[in-house]
Amino acid sequence: MANLIVVGSQWGDEGKGKIVDILAHDANVIVRFQGGSNAGHTVVTRKGTYVFHLIPSGILNRGKICILGNGVAIDPGALIEELTILQTQGVKIGKNLVISQRAHLILPYHKVIDHASEQAKGTRRIGTTGKGIGPAYADKMARVGIQMGDLFHPTVFRKKVEDNLVEVNKLLRYVYGVKGYSAKTICREYMAYADQIESFVGDDSLLIHKAIDRGRNILFEGAQGTHLDVDLGTYPYVTSSSACAGGACTGAGVGPTKIDGVLGVTKAYSTRVGSGPFPTELSDTIGGGLQERGNEFGATTGRARRCGWLDAVILRYASRVNGFSSLAVTKLDVLDGAPYLKICMGYRYNGKLYRDMPASLHILTECEPVYEVMQGWAASTSHVSSYKRLPAEAKRYLERIEELAQCPIDMISTGSRRDQTIIIRNPMVQESPRMKGAKAIRSAS
Ligand code: GDP
Ligand code: IMO
Ligand code: MG
């Protein structure tokens, strides 16, 4: 049994929601540790399609505790809207949801600054989701953020809002030329949210620790992806949180010694939403075909996702910086019927071949991808339930991914439904290296 971190290995939308929903079956606690309602995680069951923005994708599994950790940025209005939608879809949410007191709040001005700053940037814009994520995390780092726990101390909350508005209103009025806010309006809105949210708020870190001590399984659900991580991604075209595996420890208040594995969710091709370098992007009919067959439209903003070939350079980098113990390859079915497939092996720039991820955004933008061409497969994979029944060419493609990422594949997804999943080895149900070590010491003494 294991405590497992699940993260995206590309630019988000790899299918993390589907994979977490499946793995949650063998978990006791599921924790979101970063990001906010910029995320859109889709789970398809026989009962319908569920899109999660803040709530962990494990919530559909009965009897599990779902946590929003301290690293998440929470827009209380968006949270309440999501809870309402899920409840109308028949999802039971009560004591099974715990929200960290330390999570930072997204305030109305964060969303206005997000939009205004994007507009001001013009062609340099990031292409954000407009959910206020960047400004909220900026306030957190600038030590003027307001935390979930503050919501339940009205005078503390009001004072913090008033203090912040002194600078914020100047920024809004004189830099962006938009209306400022009154503390009274914000307080009235947020105090109403406080009443609706209070029963969910608790000590998440303590709860996780107690669960770990009792030998329970914790599943950490990442949002976004490695290359959108604020430290390790294609900066500045990133989100503002730690979307890599390390973010799970800081964003949930758990030490790295408690973690047993890191699963990298990898789409069988590449997609990206918003601006930023994308070396294997296909602006032709092949890219259009991937977009159509993969239904590559954002779950949060509805924007069309840019599509391209699989990129082994960014995958190997993701494997390195996250320490992947295994991969879940998703959307293999989208490649069915393609006569050939390409995998990017390196980038050529100024006569030099880069096999490892360059830190320079300039190289990433200007480079020419160097491809290895593989044969495609004609048969449909969407009903295949075992690895050995996959077409030979699909197996070769997957084996090549394992070689290039230097990491074994544990799961293969061949459709959005739960039953369209090949599990080679369940990463939640394995003997944890941590526990193995503990046993070795015990038996030696
Ligand atoms: P996430 O943000 O990583 O959770 O991914 P999204 O939910 O934003 O995007 C993945 C989309 O692909 C969703 O619409 C899923 O229902 C869908 N999906 C997941 N796995 C597969 C798969 O193996 N094949 C196909 N065709 N669709 C999938
Ligand atoms: P999930 O969890 C894909 C992208 C935005 C933009 C950049 C910054 O569903 O994989 P932000 O609003 O975070 O400041 O935007 O990050 N982005 C995502 N792209 N999937 C996501 O989440 C994303 N969350 C943010 O498009 O380029
Ligand atoms: Mg998504």
Side-chain angles (χ1 to χ4, degrees):
M1 292 295 188
N3 297 327
L4 184 76
I5 301 173
V6 176
V7 292
S9 66
Q10 293 146 319
W11 284 284
D13 302 326
E14 295 90 350
K16 299 175 292 294
K18 172 187 163 161
I19 297 297
V20 166
D21 168 66
I22 289 172
L23 295 177
H25 183 77
D26 295 301
N28 303 97
V29 180
I30 302 100
V31 193
R32 263 287 299 275
F33 55 85
Q34 46 71 235
S37 42
N38 50 348
H41 297 180
T42 317
V43 176
V44 180
T45 75
R46 264 193 233 113
K47 288 190 182 156
T49 298
Y50 305 82
V51 181
F52 301 102
H53 301 287
L54 281 160
I55 308 290
S57 307
I59 198 95
L60 299 179
N61 290 258
R62 289 260 171 102
K64 316 289 175 183
I65 303 290
C66 288
I67 292 179
L68 292 185
N70 59 274
V72 181
I74 301 176
D75 175 345
L79 174 67
I80 291 164
E81 194 184 321
E82 184 172 344
L83 289 171
T84 310
I85 294 173
L86 290 173
Q87 277 157 351
T88 45
Q89 285 188 289
V91 182
K92 299 250 179 312
I93 304 176
K95 283 196 171 14
N96 54 344
L97 178 67
V98 178
I99 302 173
S100 173
Q101 302 168 66
R102 288 192 168 85
H104 277 251
L105 293 173
I106 296 190
L107 287 129
Y109 50 80
H110 291 137
K111 287 182 270 189
V112 176
I113 297 171
D114 192 355
H115 282 285
S117 127
E118 281 282 272
Q119 264 191 340
K121 284 195 180 86
T123 53
R124 290 182 302 114
R125 70 180 175 276
I126 312 288
T128 71
T129 58
K131 305 289 181 189
I133 300 295
Y137 279 109
D139 274 5
K140 171 176 169 172
M141 291 306 179
R143 294 156 297 177
V144 293
I146 304 182
Q147 292 170 295
M148 185 55 83
D150 295 329
L151 261 188
F152 312 105
H153 301 281
T155 40
V156 174
F157 182 79
R158 191 181 179 105
K159 175 82 172 71
K160 289 191 176 183
V161 172
E162 278 168 357
D163 287 348
N164 284 355
L165 285 180
V166 175
E167 279 182 48
V168 165
N169 278 344
K170 282 190 191 132
L171 178 74
L172 292 177
R173 288 180 188 135
Y174 305 124
V175 177
Y176 295 129
V178 295
K179 253 178 48 196
Y181 279 92
S182 85
K184 194 173 157 199
T185 314
I186 294 182
C187 290
R188 198 182 312 123
E189 181 184 344
Y190 276 59
M191 287 307 113
Y193 295 148
D195 291 341
Q196 295 180 69
I197 292 175
E198 190 163 15
S199 63
F200 298 116
V201 177
D203 191 338
D204 59 316
S205 167
L206 188 63
L207 196 152
I208 297 169
H209 277 267
K210 284 186 175 164
I212 292 176
D213 279 350
R214 285 195 208 109
R216 303 283 195 263
N217 292 329
I218 321 292
L219 182 58
F220 297 89
E221 174 179 359
Q224 290 79 52
T226 300
H227 296 269
L228 288 174
D229 181 285
V230 69
D231 283 281
L232 299 158
T234 49
Y235 190 90
Y237 296 99
V238 292
T239 189
S240 300
S241 67
S242 299
C244 284
C249 293
T250 51
V254 173
T257 49
K258 307 291 182 195
I259 305 298
D260 300 302
V262 182
L263 179 75
V265 184
T266 305
K267 205 177 273 191
Y269 49 97
S270 305
T271 61
R272 174 163 207 168
V273 202
S275 325
F278 183 178
T280 63
E281 182 168 14
L282 292 164
S283 313
D284 55 10
T285 52
I286 301 177
L290 288 173
Q291 191 179 74
E292 201 185 313
R293 280 197 308 281
N295 191 25
E296 295 295 356
F297 297 90
T300 298
T301 59
R303 288 180 292 176
R305 298 173 183 150
R306 299 153 68 191
C307 296
W309 296 119
L310 185 74
D311 187 337
V313 181
I314 76 148
L315 181 55
R316 212 164 28 240
Y317 173 82
S319 183
R320 164 158 56 95
V321 299
N322 289 292
F324 286 159
S325 40
S326 62
L327 299 179
V329 176
T330 60
K331 304 193 97 161
L332 188 71
D333 55 299
V334 176
L335 301 180
D336 293 350
Y340 64 88
L341 299 166
K342 288 185 179 181
I343 303 181
C344 173
M345 312 301 298
Y347 306 138
R348 199 176 299 284
Y349 175 75
N350 254 350
K352 188 176 163 198
L353 183 67
Y354 291 81
R355 284 190 174 275
D356 290 307
M357 186 83 184
S360 155
L361 205 73
H362 176 74
I363 298 178
L364 268 183
T365 311
E366 298 297 319
C367 70
E368 184 200 331
V370 178
Y371 288 112
E372 177 175 303
V373 182
M374 299 194 70
Q375 213 183 319
W377 53 91
S380 162
T381 59
S382 63
H383 299 288
V384 179
S385 55
S386 78
Y387 184 76
K388 64 175 194 290
R389 294 229 162 83
L390 283 172
E393 297 83 359
K395 282 192 266 195
R396 269 201 288 281
Y397 187 65
L398 293 166
E399 281 158 20
R400 193 71 185 121
I401 293 176
E402 283 189 329
E403 278 168 18
L404 293 168
Q406 291 159 1
C407 188
I409 295 173
D410 273 355
M411 301 171 79
I412 300 155
S413 173
T414 58
S416 54
R417 292 196 323 260
R418 285 171 168 171
D419 61 352
Q420 293 175 302
T421 315
I422 300 170
I423 301 180
I424 299 168
R425 194 188 68 126
N426 183 340
M428 284 301 288
V429 187
Q430 53 172 299
E431 195 170 7
S432 123
R434 209 161 44 83
M435 298 317 285
K436 258 194 231 161
K439 269 188 212 148
I441 291 163
R442 260 182 248 135
S443 56
S445 60

